Amino acid sequence: GYCRSLQMKEQHEEAIAQAVSLLEGRFKEVKADLTAEMERAAEELRFERAAELRDRIQAIELLGMRQKVVAGSLADTDVTGFFRGTAKRCFVVLHYMEGELAAKDMDLLETPMEEDEEVLSSLVREYYVGRTRLPRQILLPCELPDQVPLTRMLSEQVGRRVELVTPQRGAKMDLIRLANQNAAEEVARATTREERQNKLLEALARMLGMEEPPRRMESYDISNQGASDIVASMVVYSGTRPLKSAYRRFRIKDLAGHPDDYASMQEVLRRRLQRAADGDEKFLPLPDVFLIDGGTTHAAAALAVAKEFGVEVPIFGMVKDDRHRTRALVTPEGREIGIVNSQAVFSLIGQIQEETHRFAITYHHESHQKSALRSELEDVPGVGPKRREALRKHFGSMRAIREADVETLSAVVPRAAAEAVYRHFHQEQGEPD
């Protein structure tokens, strides 16, 4: 150990400083220092030390070359990892920008009965569909059964090519191993995380003036593209984790004329509470708190509906800042509750709001896509609702169906129906039968 003498301590501190420089990418600086030390050792006839330094310099040069290759290939890349434990599984996404790890997301869930490929496909789709920004490259730990249509759908979602790649060797495969290791470590830490989650919920309860920590939270958001195309999402959190089996979607039915977010929110909450009053187990139990995307007016609109049903669940609006991040919670009476001073609470509420918005946008996208596919395929003879749904799931978009040849279509629907679909689009474009 370096504590044996002053000289050993100085050597140790120098080595630590060089290691930090390497981790920060300052290869030239470290190489220059070691080269000067190697030359001094050679002049003093300490050839063994000089040879040791020479080998170290060569190793650093190789590391620097590899770092440049990795940085170039990971200019804008997500690396996904997956681990299945005995009772839990974990999905991890590492975000790389210019070759450096910029952020990490993860989802810890109960271990399912399905195969890993099917589970991973579902997790990747849930994570990326509906996002306005996607990386240019997504590295996967294994091939997905729907990788081709998913690649096409994500590319169309952002208007440029998004690659889904399953590396087999090299630096990219090393990153997959790193992501998988991250997922395994998260599963191992799951039990200790429960204690931290309990403290976070206790802190949130104190901020909201609640006697007990909220164990179940429901969040609502409205998404619209005109008065005739309004949808809403209901996202449920069990503690600090999303309970996706309890998510619900709503299509607004009662509005006519221009869109009205407040009336839409009231319709959704009224339908949700009525289902609970009717004893529908899918809408039970009631949450410990309602979180509404919006400010005081949105929260007040929700409170009016809760009073209709005699429900006394606390209601708070989630207020965004100029960068569309949740900056505070607000009561129906207009009292604002700051959350930015508690990083853990701030992150949790921001995550809930983003997840609620993502779920609403995803429903909007799927609803619009289904409507477009249905309207364009309704006139094709031999293509009924089941076959339209099969085409939608396989190809993901109208454009992909339009560009497919008969053989590709025949893999999804009977050949006669495939030929009918092909003729429908290509005759309309003036092509010969």
Side-chain angles (χ1 to χ4, degrees):
Y2 70 76
C3 56
R4 287 186 299 171
S5 68
L6 178 61
Q7 184 180 12
M8 292 294 293
K9 181 178 180 181
E10 290 174 350
Q11 291 175 354
H12 177 82
E13 291 178 344
E14 182 181 0
I16 292 297
Q18 289 177 348
V20 170
S21 296
L22 287 177
L23 291 172
E24 292 176 345
R26 301 202 300 269
F27 297 96
K28 291 183 179 179
E29 178 181 321
V30 177
K31 180 183 174 183
D33 291 343
L34 292 177
T35 300
E37 185 179 351
M38 179 185 68
E39 291 172 351
R40 285 196 303 270
E43 290 174 358
E44 296 169 359
L45 306 182
R46 293 184 291 120
F47 298 115
E48 288 185 2
R49 175 60 175 167
E52 178 183 331
L53 292 167
R54 179 202 61 204
D55 293 341
R56 191 175 299 177
I57 291 169
Q58 290 175 350
I60 289 172
E61 287 175 340
L62 288 174
L63 181 62
M65 291 172 60
R66 178 163 183 170
Q67 181 70 12
K68 289 181 180 179
V69 172
V70 172
S73 63
L74 298 181
D76 185 10
T77 298
D78 279 6
V79 182
T80 61
F82 183 76
F83 178 80
R84 175 197 286 263
T86 304
K88 294 185 181 296
R89 57 180 171 151
C90 185
F91 174 64
V92 167
V93 182
L94 306 179
H95 306 279
Y96 283 86
M97 299 293 294
E98 302 302 327
E100 295 183 359
L101 182 62
K104 168 186 168 181
D105 288 329
M106 73 96 180
D107 200 2
L108 191 66
L109 305 160
E110 298 298 323
T111 294
M113 298 300 294
E114 299 90 348
E115 294 296 325
D116 286 352
E117 292 80 3
E118 297 176 358
V119 173
L120 185 60
S121 175
S122 176
L123 290 169
V124 170
R125 185 178 291 269
E126 286 182 8
Y127 184 82
Y128 287 106
V129 171
R131 292 178 179 264
T132 56
R133 187 200 173 283
L134 295 177
R136 296 192 175 277
Q137 175 176 237
I138 301 172
L139 304 186
L140 303 168
C142 63
E143 292 281 349
L144 304 183
D146 60 344
Q147 190 158 318
V148 173
L150 182 57
T151 298
R152 187 184 300 116
M153 183 177 66
L154 295 179
S155 298
E156 292 180 358
Q157 183 173 308
V158 293
R160 59 168 173 75
R161 177 70 175 170
V162 176
E163 290 185 299
L164 270 64
V165 180
T166 307
Q168 302 299 322
R169 62 181 68 87
K172 292 182 178 180
M173 190 61 213
D174 291 342
L175 290 170
I176 290 291
R177 294 191 186 98
L178 176 63
N180 288 341
Q181 182 181 343
N182 266 260
E185 291 171 352
E186 292 295 347
V187 170
R189 279 196 291 264
T191 52
T192 58
R193 182 186 295 112
E194 185 176 350
E195 296 177 357
R196 296 195 297 271
Q197 290 176 350
N198 288 338
K199 290 183 179 180
L200 169 56
L201 294 174
E202 289 171 3
L204 177 60
R206 287 194 298 270
M207 286 184 176
L208 302 183
M210 300 174 62
E211 294 183 0
E212 297 291 334
R215 297 300 173 185
R216 180 184 174 101
M217 296 180 280
E218 289 183 9
S219 177
Y220 294 82
D221 188 18
I222 304 294
S223 177
N224 68 72
Q225 292 182 354
S228 60
D229 190 14
I230 307 175
V231 299
S233 63
M234 165 184 152
V235 162
V236 180
Y237 267 62
S238 178
T240 62
R241 310 302 301 169
L243 184 62
K244 295 187 178 181
S245 62
Y247 285 17
R248 297 291 179 263
R249 291 164 164 174
F250 301 85
R251 179 176 293 280
I252 304 304
K253 301 176 180 178
D254 297 340
L255 292 184
H258 64 279
D260 186 332
D261 275 3
Y262 309 123
S264 298
M265 187 64 71
Q266 287 188 318
E267 177 186 331
V268 168
L269 198 57
R270 188 174 289 114
R271 286 163 60 184
R272 185 259 179 273
L273 292 177
Q274 185 61 59
R275 295 286 288 273
D278 293 340
D280 189 337
E281 293 184 356
K282 293 181 179 180
F283 290 85
L284 290 172
L286 290 176
D288 300 312
V289 63
F290 284 117
L291 298 174
I292 310 298
D293 187 81
T296 301
T297 309
H298 286 86
L303 178 62
V305 175
K307 288 182 177 179
E308 292 177 15
F309 288 84
V311 171
E312 298 183 353
V313 174
I315 297 175
F316 300 92
M318 296 181 290
V319 184
K320 298 177 182 176
D321 60 16
D322 295 338
R323 299 172 65 183
H324 297 281
R325 299 181 306 179
T326 306
R327 66 171 177 81
L329 297 175
V330 64
T331 68
E333 297 76 28
R335 182 173 66 86
E336 196 167 288
I337 303 168
I339 59 175
V340 294
N341 292 330
S342 173
Q343 184 59 47
V345 172
F346 177 75
S347 297
L348 174 62
I349 299 300
Q351 178 189 356
I352 293 174
Q353 187 171 40
E354 183 178 346
E355 174 68 0
T356 309
H357 180 68
R358 182 201 65 79
F359 192 56
I361 292 296
T362 301
Y363 182 37
H364 216 156
H365 172 78
E366 292 176 356
S367 177
H368 180 73
Q369 192 175 54
K370 286 181 182 179
S371 177
L373 284 169
R374 186 166 52 248
S375 61
E376 289 207 43
L377 293 174
E378 276 180 349
D379 297 332
V380 181
V383 181
K386 290 185 177 180
R387 290 175 180 172
R388 286 198 297 268
E389 181 65 14
L391 289 168
R392 183 190 70 80
K393 284 185 176 180
H394 183 82
F395 290 98
S397 71
M398 202 68 244
R399 179 181 176 183
I401 296 175
R402 191 180 295 114
E403 293 177 351
D405 57 25
V406 174
E407 295 301 326
T408 305
L409 293 167
S410 298
V412 184
V413 296
R415 188 171 184 87
E419 291 175 348
V421 172
Y422 185 84
R423 282 197 303 271
H424 173 76
F425 290 112
H426 291 265
Q427 284 182 344
E428 285 184 357
Q429 297 170 2
E431 296 184 12
D433 190 352

